[in-house]
Amino acid sequence: MICHGEQLPPSFIDGLEREVIEPLPITSMSLDKGLDLQILLLWLSPGTPPRVLQSMASWIANQDRRIGLIGCCPNGDVEDTIAAFEAGADDFVAGRCGVRELSSRIHALRQRLVKPSAPAGLSYSGLSLDAPSHEVTRGEQTIQLSSTEVEVLRVLLNAEGRTLSRHTILDRAWGEHHFDIGERAVDNVILRLRRKLGAPHIIETVRGVGFRLARDR
């Protein structure tokens, strides 16, 4: 795990180390060296510009290994949470958070990252997902996805056009240990997928129910 943020208290570093997690400081050099990371923890101040998380999420999406992104803002609020998920975070903690809770979130996200991925070639509605490579193909276009985007799209592809509720997508994509991640996170990931795919009509909204992929073509 790598930590980013000058405000990360020494007590948290010590506590995370006791939880058999190895936190390291993040620098531009460490990113360039291609460390074998699993979790990236960003310790943020309230009102941190979304571009900070967006730049990290973009960097993660272009890596050849699965990396999770957790944001932590001890003095944050719901607006910080919404901004974090819209930027591409896998998890976010706004408000006070103890070492044990943060460690549990890190372990839960790690479990999601190392679980078996969808098989390459999973296809529906003109989309072909290669989960290990974090890529989806639509026509001649190949699009890089974040870990969370891969999982949400995997769930929709496996449903083969059936409508899934937000709660169902949350359970299947984030897993049973999603803590207080709300259904709004599903909407944010769907929004990002529609933008990246360049075809909003592919993921249909079923009003009052949830989402589904358009009929396969």
Side-chain angles (χ1 to χ4, degrees):
M1 185 194 75
I2 278 190
C3 301
H4 176 60
E6 296 179 357
Q7 299 177 3
L8 187 62
S11 60
F12 262 74
I13 294 291
D14 294 340
L16 292 174
E17 287 176 342
R18 286 196 297 273
E19 295 290 335
V20 198
I21 299 172
E22 298 180 4
L24 300 170
I26 189 170
T27 66
S28 59
M29 290 183 60
S30 68
L31 292 179
D32 293 338
K33 290 179 180 177
L35 298 176
D36 187 18
L37 310 179
Q38 284 189 332
I39 304 294
L40 178 60
L41 172 64
L42 295 181
W43 195 269
L44 305 170
S45 301
T48 296
R51 64 176 179 274
V52 174
L53 277 166
Q54 289 169 352
S55 64
M56 286 296 178
S58 177
W59 176 80
I60 287 172
N62 289 308
Q63 302 307 300
D64 58 3
R65 55 197 183 281
R66 296 169 65 81
I67 300 174
L69 177 59
I70 297 179
C72 186
C73 188
N75 298 308
D77 55 23
V78 65
E79 294 302 321
D80 293 301
T81 302
I82 292 172
F85 283 121
E86 288 180 343
D90 294 293
D91 195 2
F92 191 79
V93 186
R96 300 187 62 178
C97 176
V99 171
R100 291 186 63 187
E101 179 186 350
L102 186 56
S103 298
S104 296
R105 288 175 179 271
I106 292 169
H107 283 304
L109 179 55
R110 179 175 290 171
Q111 289 177 356
R112 296 204 301 272
L113 294 176
V114 300
K115 71 181 181 180
S117 300
L122 183 64
S123 301
Y124 189 82
S125 194
L127 304 175
S128 181
L129 177 66
D130 184 347
S133 298
H134 283 206
E135 293 179 346
V136 61
T137 301
R138 176 175 175 258
E140 300 297 321
Q141 185 181 18
T142 299
I143 303 158
Q144 285 286 330
L145 302 178
S146 69
S147 298
T148 303
E149 290 161 357
V150 167
E151 291 303 315
V152 171
L153 185 56
R154 173 188 62 80
V155 171
L156 292 172
L157 287 168
N158 279 325
E160 297 183 326
R162 296 187 300 277
T163 301
L164 300 177
S165 69
R166 289 172 174 79
H167 182 74
T168 296
I169 296 173
L170 190 65
D171 276 349
R172 294 181 183 178
W174 275 265
E176 60 182 5
H177 302 296
H178 51 69
F179 295 95
D180 59 351
I181 297 177
E183 294 182 1
R184 176 67 180 270
V186 176
D187 293 72
N188 292 332
V189 176
I190 295 294
L191 178 62
R192 297 204 307 268
L193 284 171
R194 285 170 169 165
R195 288 174 177 170
K196 286 190 174 184
L197 295 172
H201 64 276
I202 290 181
I203 303 178
E204 299 178 337
T205 299
V206 180
R207 189 174 298 276
V209 183
F211 301 98
R212 69 186 177 198
L213 290 178
R215 186 186 299 273
D216 201 358
R217 299 176 184 178

